[in-house]
Amino acid sequence: QVHLVESGGGLVQAGGSLRLSCAASGNIFSINTMGWYRQAPGKQRELVARITNAGRTNYADSIQGRFTISRNNAENTVYLQMNSLKPEDTAVYYCNADISTDWTRRNEYWGQGTQVTVSS
């Protein structure tokens, strides 16, 4: 079993900052790409940012320059530092990870989601 547990969401005013964390635990052999997605009401889930185990990153155009993804491989944790938040960033944010549980088994896992609300 593998679990992803997110924390750090909440309510913030426009222009403020939040830092999301996601810790992976369980039967983990290795973690490949980790990332953050978000889903606003009435919209499809979309990629926010992701990072490979080598530290290569990519970001959605809408958050470029405002959000920073990072990870601690020793602690199986990924972070999302969100600055200059806008009301349109309001969404449920989901952690995602591509995890191998042994040499042959590799699956995609999701966290339960954490609400981020940005007031104007």
Side-chain angles (χ1 to χ4, degrees), residues 35-68:
W36 291 94
Y37 289 71
R38 69 185 182 186
Q39 187 167 18
K43 295 189 176 181
Q44 289 190 331
R45 190 173 297 189
E46 61 177 3
L47 173 69
V48 176
R50 57 189 171 198
I51 182 169
T52 69
N53 55 7
R56 189 168 65 248
T57 60
N58 66 289
Y59 296 93
D61 289 343
S62 59
I63 58 87
Q64 188 81 30
R66 299 189 296 121
F67 293 8
T68 302

